[in-house]
Amino acid sequence: FRTGDAFSFAELDIPDDVRMKRGKTLQTSWEQMKQCAKELAQSSPKYSVKKHIRYLLASDSLEVKHMARNEIDMEIYTTDVRPSNFRENPDRDTDAWMELFLLSRQDGFVMNELADKTSYKGKAGSISAFAKLVERIGFFRKDQVKVCEI
């Protein structure tokens, strides 16, 4: 769940990289991401019949990771990796690679995309390059991926 540098690393003063639709809160975006994950699981013939599904979350937001750990209606795992901006902490690449590898080994993958692409002023694409890399490294089929507009 990519929230964007403007939200996750406000101290870096990167105001243009906001990955949520204007007017949305982190909580409503988080609820939407959870719903997308449930929908992906329910759309899978293999997993729609299972009563107990485990989810793995990677995020650039420490707050989102805390929300995942406190979730009561879904079993969500996340790493203890503290999110960091690659510009400020290039030595933390191994953390990113570890999360990338873990995500690429899952049975399905949900990534968020900007819902309001016209007002986005950042330099990145509408989908995180990290998420695209996970999708490619994991060799996910189309039915194993859900893009969630938030």
Side-chain angles (χ1 to χ4, degrees):
F1 176 13
R2 174 100 162 84
T3 59
D5 291 345
F7 181 83
S8 298
F9 312 109
E11 70 278 3
L12 296 181
D13 193 30
I14 308 172
D16 294 335
D17 190 22
V18 175
R19 296 292 172 145
M20 295 177 290
K21 191 171 186 176
R22 301 222 184 278
K24 276 200 171 182
T25 66
L26 183 61
Q27 185 63 43
T28 58
S29 296
W30 169 240
E31 293 299 326
Q32 196 171 347
M33 285 296 291
K34 290 189 311 182
Q35 184 59 38
C36 286
K38 288 177 185 178
E39 288 171 6
L40 179 62
Q42 291 167 354
S43 72
S44 164
K46 182 177 178 181
Y47 295 103
S48 61
V49 295
K50 287 193 172 197
K51 295 192 187 283
H52 191 76
I53 296 176
R54 293 174 188 92
Y55 300 87
L56 175 66
L57 168 85
S59 179
D60 60 345
S61 168
L62 196 55
E63 191 172 344
V64 168
K65 286 187 167 198
H66 287 302
M67 288 192 296
R69 288 187 179 115
N70 294 323
E71 196 58 48
I72 55 173
D73 66 331
M74 295 172 76
E75 188 173 349
I76 303 174
Y77 294 89
T78 188
T79 66
D80 288 331
V81 170
R82 183 174 177 82
S84 63
N85 182 279
F86 72 93
R87 292 178 194 96
E88 297 293 310
N89 298 297
D91 58 325
R92 302 275 306 276
D93 284 351
T94 53
D95 292 340
W97 281 108
M98 190 254 317
E99 285 192 330
L100 186 144
F101 174 76
L102 289 173
L103 288 171
S104 72
R105 303 306 307 148
Q106 303 311 302
D107 296 315
F109 182 58
V110 177
M111 63 182 114
N112 61 299
E113 179 176 29
L114 293 166
D116 186 7
K117 297 168 194 71
T118 57
S119 67
Y120 176 65
K121 307 245 185 298
K123 296 177 182 174
S126 64
I127 296 178
S128 160
F130 181 86
K132 289 180 183 179
L133 190 56
V134 168
E135 181 183 18
R136 286 179 177 89
I137 288 176
F139 295 101
F140 289 106
R141 297 183 317 268
K142 289 184 189 261
D143 66 321
Q144 293 176 295
V145 176
K146 182 164 181 73
V147 177
C148 189
E149 289 188 348
I150 59 168

